[in-house]
Amino acid sequence: MVKICCIGAGYVGGPTMAVIALKCPSIEVAVVDISQHRINAWNSDQLPIYEPGLDDVVKRCRGRNLFFSVDVEKHVSEADIVFVSVNTPTKTRGLGAGKAADLTYWESAARMIADVSKSNKIVVEKSTVPVKTAEAIEKILTHNSKGIKFQILSNPEFLAEGTAISDLFNPDRVLIGGRETPEGQEAIKALKDVYAHWVPEDRILTTNLWSAELSKLAANAFLAQRISSVNAMSALCEATGADVTEVSYAVGKDTRIGPKFLNASVGFGGSCFQKDILNLVYICECNGLPDVAEYWKQVIKINDYQKNRFVNRVVSSMFNTVSNKKIAILGFAFKKDTGDTRETPAIDVCKGLLGDKALLSIYDPQVTIDQIQRDLTMNKFDWDHPLHLQPMSPTTVKQVSVVWDAYEAAKDAHGLCILTEWDEFKTLDYKRIYESMQKPAFVFDGRNVVNADQLREIGFIVYSIGKPLDAWLKDMPAVA
Ligand code: NAD
C-alpha cells in the first residue's frame, strides 16, 4: 500500500487529501499538523473549515484510509510521498518585508522531513511558493539526508474555496513539475498515477519544476487582474452612465476573453491573490524587472482603490458623515460558501467605516464573532501569523456588534452594506427591512446581488457597483 502524508491540515491540505483518500482506496493518507486544535476539529463532527460537500467526503473515508494526526514525525517517516501544504505568508519583517513569501514554516517542515526519514521519499510542494523554492528545499534535504534520496516535485493547487470539492473532483488541470532526470521523471510518474485514479490523463500536465512553481503565481495574478480590470471599468461606468454588467457581458462574449470572473465587486479577497501577487512583484524586482513588477502592483492598487471608493461612497451618500450611525454589514467572508475571512474586503470596508465612527452590526452565516473581532483588530498580514493576535481595542468593541440574523443587523440602521454574495441576501424581505430602518434608508450593494429597481420601488436609495447612479448619489459625489 502506498502511504501519503500531508504536512498542513488547512484549507488546501484537508480537502485535497480527503479527495485523494476517497478516490484512491488503496492509498493510506495521513494529514498532520502542529495545531492540536485543528486536528481535533478534523476528527470531530465540526470540521475546522466550511466547504460544501467536504463533510460527506471526510465521513466516507476517515478511519478507513484517511487519518488526521499531530504525530507529524511518525507519519512523515512512514510515508512514500510527503505533500507539504503549510502556510506561506507574506514576510512582515526583514528583507522583502511586505512582499516576499515567508518560508519559515516550509523550511522547518523540510528540515523535519530530512531528520526523521529512514527511506527514500518524494516530497511534493503543494503550498504556493516562489520560483526556485524547490532548489532551496532540495539543498536542505540533501545536505541533511543521511544517505536517503529525495525527489522534489511541484504540484501547486488550483482549487477555489467555496467550490473546493467539485474543483478537486473535476479539475481543469493537475500540474506536476519535476526534474528532467530519470529519477525526476519516475517521481512525476508516481504522482501522476495517484491523480490518474480519477483525473483524465490529458488533464494531467507535466513540466519542469520552475514552470510549475511560476504557473501557480501566474494563474492567480491573471485571475486577480481580471477582477481589477472589471472593477476599474466599474468606476468609469458610474462616471459615464454605462452599466458594468452590460459591458462585461458584451466583453465576455468574445471567445478570446470568455465570460467567467468578470463580475464587478467591492474587491477581491482571500488568502492567495494579494499574497501571491506581492510575491510575484518581489521576484520580478529581484530579477531586475522593475517595469514588470510595477505592472502587477497595479492589480493590488486598483483593488485597494475599489475598497476605498466603496467606503467613500457610503460616507458621502449619508451627508458626509457616518459618525454614530448604525450601519448593517451583510456578509463578512471573502466570498460565498466559505467561512474564510482572510484578506476579505469586509475588513477594509469595516475599518474604513469605523474610522469615520460608524456603529457596525455585522451578520455572516458562517463567520463567528471571535473571528470578526480578531479580523478587525489585526494588523496587515498578521492573519497568517496566528501568534501575533491582539485583543480587540475597547473603542472597537463599543462600535461593533455581531448578530445572527440579517433583520436584526438592519434594525434601526441608516444604511446596509452587502459585502459577500451569499444567496440568502437575494431573497431577504427587503420591505420588512426598509420598515425597520432609519430614513432615508440606503443599500450599498458591493456584490450586485439585489434587484436595485425593486428596492427603489420600496423606497431605498440604492448604490450598485458600476451601475447608473440614483439622482441622490449623483448629487453626493464620492472621491476615491
Ligand atoms: P492554512 O493556514 O489553512 O493551513 C496551513 C496549515 O499548516 C496550518 O494548519 C498550520 O498549523 C500548518 N503548519 C504550519 N507549519 C507546520 C509544520 N511545520 N508542521 C505541521 N503543520 C504545519 O493554509 P492553506 O489555505 O491551506 O494554504 C496552504 C498553502 O496552499 C499556501 O501556500 C497557500 O498559498 C496555498 N494555496 C491556498 C489555497 C486556498 O484557497 N486557501 C489555494 C491554493 C493554494
Side-chain angles (χ1 to χ4, degrees), residues 123 134 139 293 301 304 320 324 331 469:
V123 176
K139 282 187 184 140
K301 277 196 187 162
D304 289 338
N320 248 352
N324 282 322
L469 298 176

Side-chain angles (χ1 to χ4, degrees), residues 266-338:
V266 60
F268 60 74
S271 65
C272 295
F273 283 175
Q274 173 165 302
K275 163 174 85 73
D276 293 349
I277 293 175
L278 287 171
N279 186 350
L280 190 67
V281 165
Y282 185 69
I283 295 169
C284 292
E285 286 171 353
C286 293
N287 282 284
L289 302 167
D291 297 315
V292 184
E294 203 49 45
Y295 174 77
W296 289 112
K297 241 188 239 172
Q298 290 302 320
V299 172
I300 295 177
K301 277 196 187 162
I302 287 288
N303 199 45
D304 289 338
Y305 164 83
Q306 188 76 344
K307 290 181 276 190
N308 284 335
R309 209 165 74 75
F310 188 86
V311 172
N312 292 352
R313 178 68 74 189
V314 175
V315 178
S316 69
S317 311
M318 299 166 98
F319 315 102
N320 248 352
T321 176
V322 287
S323 179
N324 282 322
K325 290 180 183 165
K326 178 174 170 182
I327 298 190
I329 303 290
L330 298 194
F332 199 83
F334 85 94
K335 65 194 285 201
K336 74 169 180 177
D337 291 337
T338 177

Side-chain angles (χ1 to χ4, degrees), residues 7-13 32-35 38 72 85-88 105 108-109 112 126-128 157-161 216 271-272 275-276 340 342 384:
I7 306 176
Y11 284 85
V12 168
V32 296
D33 204 292
I34 42 177
S35 162
R38 225 169 195 183
V72 182
S85 184
V86 299
N87 33 335
T88 48
Y105 299 95
S108 86
M112 182 271 300
K126 201 42 145 170
S127 304
T128 305
E157 184 48 59
F158 293 101
L159 66 78
E161 285 177 35
K216 174 63 193 178
S271 65
C272 295
K275 163 174 85 73
D276 293 349
D340 194 354
R342 296 178 293 180
D384 219 357

Side-chain angles (χ1 to χ4, degrees), residues 215-237:
S215 298
K216 174 63 193 178
L217 294 180
N220 272 355
F222 274 53
L223 288 168
Q225 187 254 23
R226 253 173 110 88
I227 299 178
S228 280
S229 295
V230 76
N231 281 345
M233 272 313 151
S234 75
L236 191 55
C237 286

